[in-house]
Amino acid sequence: QSFELFQNYPNPFNPITSIRYAVYGSQLADRRLIHTTLNIYNVLGQLVRTLVDEEKIPGEYQISWDGKDDSGSAVGSGIYFYQLKVGENSYSRKMALLR
């Protein structure tokens, strides 16, 4: 396993939620940079917001989402999915925004 994605907190949320994740490296290349993305999608599968798109060293991270899209506009109440992709592997979780 090359990463771990935790449930956001609080969930449901308004107006902000925290997302924790961990990126793991191999024992041979413990400090190797790994391309990591964390995106938010709506129920139609449309990209709402990119929170992370960068090289990360192995470790634990936390980021907040304020319920806004990439243009800075507030999104509506509903179910959203957040997807962590580390290298070629990805995992998604569900969260609820209540306005």
Side-chain angles (χ1 to χ4, degrees):
Q1 186 177 14
S2 60
F3 63 91
E4 194 167 0
L5 180 61
F6 302 95
Q7 186 63 51
N8 66 303
Y9 183 82
N11 188 31
F13 72 97
N14 179 14
I16 197 163
T17 190
S18 293
I19 300 170
R20 287 189 323 116
Y21 63 96
V23 177
Y24 302 115
S26 71
Q27 293 178 344
L28 298 175
D30 202 21
R31 305 307 281 175
R32 182 178 59 109
L33 294 173
I34 303 167
H35 191 79
T36 304
T37 59
L38 180 61
N39 292 316
I40 309 291
Y41 296 92
N42 63 20
V43 293
L44 300 176
Q46 299 165 322
L47 179 63
V48 173
R49 179 100 181 252
T50 298
L51 297 177
V52 176
D53 186 7
E54 61 190 26
E55 303 294 317
K56 295 281 191 183
I57 61 170
E60 292 190 16
Y61 298 91
Q62 180 172 317
I63 193 162
S64 296
W65 183 45
D66 57 4
K68 294 181 181 176
D69 63 17
D70 276 333
S71 66
S73 299
V75 298
S77 295
I79 301 296
Y80 292 87
F81 298 89
Y82 55 106
Q83 180 188 58
L84 178 66
K85 186 173 181 184
V86 177
E88 298 301 315
N89 301 310
S90 65
Y91 188 76
S92 298
R93 287 190 178 266
K94 179 171 60 171
M95 62 182 156
L97 170 60
L98 299 177
R99 293 258 185 223

